[in-house]
Amino acid sequence: MNNDKKSLNWECPLPELDFDVITLGHGSGGLLTNKLLDSGVFDLLSNEYLDRRHDGAFLPGGLAFTTDSFVVSPIFFPGGNIGELAINGTVNDLAMCGAIPKYLSLSFILEEGLPVAQFWEVLVSIRKACAMADVMVVTGDTKVVERGKGDQIFVNTTGIGQVHSKAQIDPGRVAAGDKLLVSGNLAAHGIAILSVREGLAFESDILSDTRPLNGVVERVLDRFGEGIKLFRDPTRGGVATALNEIARDTRLGVEIRQRDLPLDDQVNSACEILGLDPLYVANEGIFLAWVDAAIADECLAFLRETEEGSQAACIGEMVAAHPGKVIMQSSIGGRRVVNMLPGEQLPRIC
Amino acid sequence: MKFLTEYRNPELVQQYIQEIHKITTQDWSIMEVCGGQTHSLVKNGIIDLLPARIRMIHGPGCPVCVTPLHLIDHAIHLASVEGVILCSFGDMLRVPGSQKSLLQAKAEGADVRILYSPLEAVTLARENPDREVVFFAVGFETTAPANALSVVHAADQKLAHDPILTSPVLVHPALEAVLNDEASRIKGFLAAGHVCTVMGTQEYEPIAERYKVPIVVTGFEPVDLLQGILMTVRQLEAGRHVVENQYSRVVRREGNPGAQKTIERVFEVRDREWRGLGNIPMSGYEVREEYAAYDAKRKFQSPAERAVESDLCMAGQVLKGILKPQECPQFGKGCTPSAPLGAPMVSSEGACAAYYHFYQALGELETA
């Protein structure tokens, strides 16, 4: 009895928050998402694996494990659809752990009334994406909710991968002087989605950059091994948010140069017109790599030879000054702080 | 990007900065009127490149920031009325009213939508004949023509229900209000290029003359801003005070007469309360009698109680340029973009948000 009472008394005090309902901004991946998670979610579920707060968890036996849900609207967008996005997203989270993705689970929440033809189209592209990333869907689930209680299709994928034998991915290894590489052009995914959003549609040839990154990551690890300290894929919240998270977790400063940020002309123009900062726009097919300065040039040249990394660039470095802060040198020579995205920029981008 | 990169040319920027350093012999406080200019100055790190003797003061030209609290409360109240779809520009949704923001109202179930153009509200009204579509129209003379046009279109299509909750305001009366404040130290203005695209530059001429201040109509890119500052400092150093046009690739002296006519057709100029600045005579647009059916203020009752501003927020002094954002004791502590006390911390054009995002931490780091 006593024991029972104890467990009944087990308390979960509501965290002290400055909000009492969830808003879309809490799903932005930026400051509000972090605020929500830091409000007690991590503490409540704390354990040695979760506490590392990486894109996925490192489990005993050299395994990496991750999960991701996809609620993008519209479900078909220029350059892809929610199906391949869901496969690539989880594949990439595993790749960011320095792992070779192997097995995936796939769960659907479907809304009553969804045309079967659309569901099939999504499934076919899931199959293609699996083949491209060399992964298998080995288990899954399907639920249907009443019309109006969901939005066409929501997808969850979970994945397991084997950590690369040469990989030593660990924010704790990142040091001042390390160079910061980005594997391709910024902001394509977010702008592609926006270009077909209801009420905002504009004509462009901009395609989402959704693609599996495990191939290029594996080749980089084969070649450079422990010279690679950390990977991140700057999805929701964009590059700015990823950099801020790493500045916070490593207690180092990040210095980036605006003129070195790789940007497609059309994407850049769309950002200008819409008043969006490409640093905060979502990406689905690029990664950031923190590499030892000694191999940075060679690694960049290697990346540029790959299909996924042809637009790769070195955008900055880690510094001991201004720990926890990201500072950008502007194209005209000024300096400014790059903060984490405070609220939502565009909801339901992935 | 053609026609844009030219105005971000680092060598040109350096030339203008050197020239400004060379000719500046005294302390000058210059106000950039528009929030878009503030953001460009801060985002590009221009303020640090200017001589220490030049102090840029950030003006009241952020439409979201100057929309009075009771109007925001009115919009939130309307959003919760059964059958109403309330729409506005994205920034407006995050501004706190006295109890909550429109975004919070949305999370609680109100039908609140972000639009990029007031004309989309007309389409929305046509597609939802059984709903009341209300557009919360904020902005200066720049957006007033599109707001007016949405009313004209709704009337032409005989839509019975597309009321507009107005808050558009006029810039030049606010400049006079700022100049009339005895704490004001402003010696010159960079006038807002886009407002002048619509209204022209003539209405600034009497102000330049009466208050003996140079007013330079200026664009938004680094080269625009530095050229505008240089033109202002040249006038100040020479003791001149006239209206000049830096943004001549877009702005004409007479403005855009077609747009002005559309504004006049729908709106009339009245006294208006500005958040943080108080009542300014003849500074706001209200819907004319002929279009009364489209005036949300006439159509719906406003909430009975008028909320009062938090006395912790010093937005008024920031908007008048008396206080720099980071000089406010609440800045970055009790007031941040995710938990703002006042509108300047919310809007993408707000001075406090600009400093919070791009600048404040940098200053702190470098003085540390």
Side-chain angles (χ1 to χ4, degrees):
Chain A
M1 268 317 273
N2 226 348
N3 273 346
D4 276 346
K5 245 191 171 164
K6 229 179 189 175
S7 67
L8 281 176
N9 277 342
W10 186 80
E11 272 182 298
C12 172
L14 233 120
E16 268 189 46
L17 299 172
D18 47 18
F19 52 90
D20 47 19
V21 290
I22 299 292
T23 60
L24 282 168
H26 291 112
S28 68
L31 194 64
L32 280 180
T33 306
N34 274 282
K35 234 180 175 174
L36 178 65
L37 298 180
D38 287 334
S39 69
V41 175
F42 273 106
D43 290 344
L44 190 64
L45 303 175
S46 170
N47 60 60
E48 59 183 301
Y49 306 109
L50 183 68
D51 293 350
R52 290 176 70 172
R53 300 183 70 159
H54 198 61
D55 281 352
F58 294 96
L59 300 181
L63 294 178
F65 183 52
T66 190
T67 189
D68 210 340
S69 295
F70 296 84
V71 297
V72 63
S73 165
I75 57 173
F76 295 95
F77 48 82
N81 64 50
I82 192 169
E84 59 193 286
L85 194 67
I87 300 302
N88 293 339
T90 288
V91 161
N92 292 346
D93 279 352
L94 289 171
M96 296 305 106
C97 298
I100 297 151
K102 297 281 189 192
Y103 307 109
L104 263 55
S105 76
L106 173 65
S107 294
F108 291 107
I109 297 172
L110 306 176
E111 186 192 10
E112 180 186 29
L114 175 78
V116 172
Q118 289 193 5
F119 181 53
W120 193 250
E121 197 176 336
V122 168
L123 276 175
V124 169
S125 65
I126 283 176
R127 187 194 145 136
K128 277 189 198 156
C130 285
M132 231 177 120
D134 195 20
V135 292
M136 283 188 274
V137 171
V138 293
T139 182
D141 182 48
T142 310
K143 298 279 194 304
V144 179
V145 295
E146 300 95 319
R147 188 187 282 271
K149 305 283 179 180
D151 191 358
Q152 297 182 285
I153 305 183
F154 295 151
V155 187
N156 172 275
T157 50
T158 296
I160 292 183
Q162 184 77 47
V163 174
H164 191 288
S165 59
K166 286 186 173 175
Q168 288 188 38
I169 301 301
D170 181 1
R173 292 180 59 233
V174 174
D178 285 351
K179 298 287 178 190
L180 182 51
L181 308 184
V182 60
S183 69
N185 287 337
L186 308 191
H189 178 72
I191 298 298
I193 300 282
L194 208 55
S195 73
V196 288
R197 271 282 165 87
E198 193 188 356
L200 195 70
F202 55 90
E203 265 184 50
S204 82
D205 310 322
I206 300 167
L207 301 180
S208 164
D209 60 350
T210 178
R211 64 156 76 96
L213 296 167
N214 55 325
V216 61
V217 162
E218 190 178 340
R219 273 172 280 150
V220 167
L221 284 171
D222 284 343
R223 171 77 179 267
F224 299 101
E226 62 175 28
I228 309 293
K229 311 244 182 121
L230 190 63
F231 288 119
R232 264 300 151 114
D233 58 341
T235 52
R236 284 176 314 174
V239 168
T241 298
L243 294 180
N244 271 285
E245 284 171 354
I246 298 306
R248 175 195 65 197
D249 295 348
T250 58
R251 296 189 186 86
L252 291 169
V254 179
E255 288 267 348
I256 56 171
R257 296 172 296 271
Q258 189 176 26
R259 65 162 192 274
D260 292 334
L261 298 175
L263 271 172
D264 170 77
D265 267 356
Q266 268 206 55
V267 170
N268 198 12
S269 305
C271 284
E272 288 287 343
I273 290 165
L274 298 168
L276 299 174
D277 185 336
L279 280 172
Y280 293 93
V281 179
N283 309 279
E284 291 290 342
I286 60 168
F287 61 87
L288 297 162
W290 281 256
V291 307
D292 195 308
I295 58 146
D297 290 345
E298 203 187 333
C299 186
L300 181 60
F302 182 85
L303 266 177
R304 283 198 177 138
E305 291 298 313
T306 66
E307 193 194 328
E308 298 93 328
S310 61
Q311 303 299 312
C314 178
I315 60 169
E317 55 265 318
M318 302 302 285
V319 294
H322 56 79
K325 296 275 179 202
V326 181
I327 307 273
M328 180 162 83
Q329 184 167 18
S330 79
S331 300
I332 62 155
R335 275 157 67 80
R336 64 142 152 135
V337 172
V338 177
N339 268 322
M340 208 175 259
L341 183 64
E344 66 175 288
Q345 191 174 33
L346 317 158
R348 294 183 56 194
I349 209 79
C350 60
Chain B
M1 272 169 293
K2 208 156 167 43
F3 308 124
L4 207 48
T5 41
E6 295 86 332
Y7 297 95
R8 295 176 186 173
N9 180 326
E11 285 88 50
L12 263 179
V13 164
Q14 280 311 318
Q15 282 173 27
Y16 278 115
I17 286 168
Q18 280 169 19
E19 187 63 21
I20 294 168
H21 275 267
K22 212 165 80 189
I23 66 162
T24 306
T25 66
Q26 298 178 52
D27 292 340
W28 301 115
S29 293
I30 302 171
M31 174 177 273
E32 84 280 358
V33 173
C34 176
Q37 294 168 329
T38 305
H39 263 252
S40 186
L41 284 176
V42 175
K43 192 174 167 181
N44 290 294
I46 293 172
I47 291 176
D48 290 336
L49 302 173
L50 293 172
R53 307 200 86 156
I54 293 183
R55 178 179 160 117
M56 295 308 293
I57 293 178
H58 314 305
C62 157
V64 169
C65 302
V66 299
T67 300
L69 190 62
H70 68 85
L71 256 182
I72 297 170
D73 282 346
H74 194 170
I76 293 165
H77 171 74
L78 283 182
S80 56
V81 171
E82 186 69 30
V84 167
I85 303 176
L86 191 112
C87 22
S88 192
F89 300 125
D91 278 349
M92 208 58 227
L93 269 54
R94 291 199 291 130
V95 181
S98 56
Q99 306 290 325
K100 56 187 160 196
S101 67
L102 279 166
L103 214 52
Q104 283 162 315
K106 180 175 189 275
E108 289 168 15
D111 194 346
V112 177
R113 308 202 189 169
I114 297 176
L115 300 186
Y116 278 76
S117 159
L119 296 177
E120 291 169 33
V122 182
T123 314
L124 204 59
R126 206 171 47 231
E127 289 167 353
N128 294 277
D130 52 338
R131 307 279 299 272
E132 288 275 8
V133 176
V134 180
F135 185 73
F136 187 15
V138 295
F140 291 94
E141 294 95 325
T142 332
T143 42
N147 288 331
L149 206 57
S150 77
V151 172
V152 172
H153 280 201
D156 287 351
Q157 296 174 28
K158 301 202 169 30
L159 293 175
H161 57 285
D162 173 27
I164 189 160
L165 181 63
T166 50
S167 176
V169 285
L170 289 83
V171 169
H172 67 95
L175 293 196
E176 290 199 66
V178 165
L179 283 167
N180 285 331
D181 194 300
E182 53 192 25
S184 163
R185 287 167 287 186
I186 297 153
K187 301 289 181 236
F189 286 100
L190 306 185
H194 290 156
V195 167
C196 297
T197 310
V198 174
M199 302 308 286
T201 62
Q202 299 169 54
E203 56 195 15
Y204 295 98
E205 288 163 9
I207 301 178
E209 184 51 43
R210 191 175 324 134
Y211 296 91
K212 312 245 177 289
V213 286
I215 300 176
V216 178
V217 177
T218 303
F220 301 83
E221 295 301 324
V223 170
D224 289 323
L225 287 161
L226 286 165
Q227 200 178 22
I229 293 168
L230 178 64
M231 288 163 78
T232 311
V233 175
R234 267 196 192 128
Q235 285 202 44
L236 287 168
E237 291 283 345
R240 289 165 53 235
H241 46 80
V242 294
V243 175
E244 289 181 315
N245 184 4
Q246 179 277 331
Y247 207 31
S248 57
R249 67 184 185 279
V250 179
V251 174
R252 286 171 296 175
R253 184 167 179 268
E254 69 279 12
N256 179 339
Q260 292 164 16
K261 251 183 224 146
T262 309
I263 297 176
E264 274 163 41
R265 185 169 158 194
V266 175
F267 293 124
E268 58 192 350
V269 177
R270 294 278 190 78
D271 295 354
R272 168 59 61 79
E273 183 190 333
W274 292 51
R275 192 173 193 174
L277 297 180
N279 194 61
I280 302 178
M282 304 308 273
S283 70
Y285 287 119
E286 297 290 346
V287 178
R288 283 183 188 278
E289 188 62 39
E290 300 92 289
Y291 291 100
Y294 297 95
D295 185 356
K297 281 184 192 156
R298 289 181 172 105
K299 196 161 176 176
F300 302 98
Q301 279 219 313
S302 59
E305 274 187 45
R306 257 190 164 203
V308 282
E309 294 278 356
S310 156
D311 51 10
L312 293 174
C313 179
M314 308 183 95
Q317 277 158 283
V318 173
L319 291 171
K320 280 186 244 178
I322 296 167
L323 209 63
K324 286 236 167 200
Q326 73 273 35
E327 289 164 5
C328 169
Q330 295 299 322
F331 180 83
K333 300 181 184 88
C335 180
T336 60
S338 49
L341 278 181
M345 189 53 102
V346 176
S347 163
S348 60
E349 293 187 5
C352 298
Y355 268 72
Y356 186 87
H357 288 309
F358 303 130
Y359 194 67
Q360 161 262 345
L362 187 66
E364 213 170 66
L365 292 168
E366 291 185 346
T367 51

